[in-house]
Structures are given as structure tokens and as C-alpha cells.
Amino acid sequence: MANPPMATIVADFLTDLTRAGKSANTVRGYRSDLGDFGRFFTGPIDQITVGVLRAYLGGLAGKAPATRARREAALAALMTWAYRAEMIAADPMTRLDRTHPPVSVPRPVPTEQVEAVLRAIPKNRDRDRVLFLLLYTTGMRVGEALTIEVDDLNLRRDDEHVTVLGKAGRRRTVLLDDSTLVALLRRYLKARGYRHGSLFRAEQGPVSVATPSACDEDRNRILNGVCR
């Protein structure tokens, strides 16, 4: 018996993704991208050849690299699923070169903006000043900075560094090679008397993204809403 039409195959594939615990955004994205392919090809999945895929992907030549890569990823996931389910004898996507979008290099915040933020931080908000400089000079994520414990810091001269908890629970060491930041950290810890526990604290508990902020608009924007 011939395989069912593409629309039915895609529906079954999306159902399996949902059952496997994929996020709603992932399923929604695959539905959109595979729907576009389904309007191009309406036959059964075992009739999808390298030529069919090449013709479809060739029609995306005017799209942005990220869009082409996303459509290719959706097709590759579908074909892999169909091959494992023995709906197709071979995976035609493995015979095509994939699009690799160029990696964009993050642009640093202009110096004048950094100086404006520092001027805007009240002198009695030493925590905000330390947090902002830590993010700016090390490039660490806001979430990483907010999980730092005092015990994660090493401020021994010529060996200043901090251990942060990154993605997937991986720990990594970040060098603290900015002398202004190191001096501020030392003064901050001495003034607060912190020896253990969270480095950045609100009135009740550690600072979090949801903690109400006293920061002005410019700092709020540059710190991505975290300067509590």
C-alpha cells in the first residue's frame, strides 16, 4: 500500500514531536516550514527525491540564509523520522549540502553609552555598578551573573577570576582582568560584609530577573531589564 499523502505524514510527524516533549515553538516552526514544502509537493513521501528537494530549495534562493537553513532543518528532521519509520528506503537530504548562515559577531556597547550608564547609577547603588561592570567587561550572560555566589569569587591578586554556572549546568571560569571591576568588587564585599551566599542580593533573597527595579531607563535597556 502506498504511503499516505504529505499532509498526513507531516501531521503524524508533528504529533510524534509533541509526544517526545518538543517545545510548542519548535512544533509550530516545523508546521509552518513543512506546510510551505507541502504546498510545493503534494505526493507521498516515498516519491521525494534529491531532484524534488533540489527544486524546492532552489526556489528559496532569494530568502535569507537563516530562513533557508531553517527550512532545510525542518525537511531533514522529517526525512530522518520517515527513514527510521521505514517509510522511505533512503534519506535524500543526506545527499544535499546544507546552508550555513554566517555567524554574526556581537557589537560592543559604545564607550559613551557605558559611561552614560555609569554616570546614571547613584553612588549608593554599588551593587548595580558592580553588576553592570561585570556584565560589560566579561560578556557573561545576565543569568550567569545572578547565580554567582561569594564563594565562586577568587580575588587573590594576579589570579582574579569567578566560576559561573552556564548553560546545561556547566561550570566555567571567567577571568576578571579589569582593574576597575576588581577594585569595585573588593570594596563592595567589604562594605556589605558578604562572606557567603549570593553576590547580588535584593532586600529579600538573591536578585532575579523579576525583582522590581530602581534603575533608570537607559540602564534597564542595556542590562536587559536586570539591575534590581
Side-chain angles (χ1 to χ4, degrees):
M1 184 175 65
N3 280 330
M6 178 58 61
T8 301
I9 293 293
V10 169
D12 290 344
F13 169 63
L14 296 176
T15 297
D16 279 359
L17 285 183
T18 301
R19 187 182 302 115
K22 296 295 184 182
S23 72
N25 285 339
T26 297
V27 175
R28 190 180 305 116
Y30 279 167
R31 179 179 292 111
S32 174
D33 291 332
L34 294 174
D36 183 75
F37 177 73
R39 288 185 286 276
F40 172 84
F41 179 82
T42 58
I45 197 168
D46 60 356
Q47 292 183 16
I48 297 177
T49 63
V50 172
V52 169
L53 293 174
R54 189 175 286 121
Y56 168 70
L57 297 174
L60 303 178
K63 301 288 186 181
T67 299
R68 299 200 307 272
R70 195 187 67 237
R71 297 277 175 85
E72 291 169 8
L75 280 171
L78 176 66
M79 292 292 103
T80 298
W81 172 84
Y83 178 72
R84 290 202 311 263
E86 298 183 343
M87 295 179 182
I88 54 178
D91 180 353
M93 277 297 296
T94 61
R95 300 174 62 186
L96 294 175
D97 292 330
R98 301 276 292 274
T99 299
H100 298 286
V103 178
S104 58
V105 178
R107 293 178 296 176
V109 178
T111 302
E112 57 270 20
Q113 289 190 27
V114 175
E115 293 173 348
V117 170
L118 292 174
R119 287 195 301 269
I121 301 176
K123 291 184 178 180
N124 64 341
R125 304 285 291 188
D126 56 346
R127 180 199 59 197
D128 294 355
R129 187 177 296 273
V130 171
L131 175 57
F132 175 76
L133 274 179
L134 181 66
L135 296 175
Y136 174 67
T137 60
T138 66
M140 72 174 61
R141 300 178 181 87
V142 172
E144 292 175 336
L146 296 184
T147 62
I148 293 175
E149 300 276 321
V150 176
D151 291 334
D152 296 328
L153 281 170
N154 184 337
L155 296 181
R156 286 196 298 270
R157 201 166 300 278
D158 297 326
D159 188 28
E160 296 92 343
H161 63 269
V162 61
T163 302
V164 297
L165 186 64
K167 288 185 174 180
R170 296 188 181 93
R171 288 197 167 271
R172 63 189 178 91
T173 299
V174 178
L175 297 179
L176 302 176
D177 53 6
D178 183 89
S179 59
T180 301
L181 171 63
V182 171
L184 281 174
L185 275 167
R186 289 187 175 120
R187 289 203 299 269
Y188 171 73
L189 291 173
K190 183 177 180 180
R192 298 296 181 101
Y194 293 162
R195 295 183 179 277
H196 304 285
S198 298
L199 178 62
F200 299 110
R201 309 178 193 184
E203 292 182 2
Q204 296 181 349
V207 178
S208 70
V209 174
T211 309
S213 176
C215 298
D216 61 34
E217 183 177 353
D218 286 337
R219 282 184 293 136
N220 210 27
R221 173 174 57 80
I222 294 178
L223 288 180
N224 198 22
V226 182
C227 186
R228 314 298 183 225

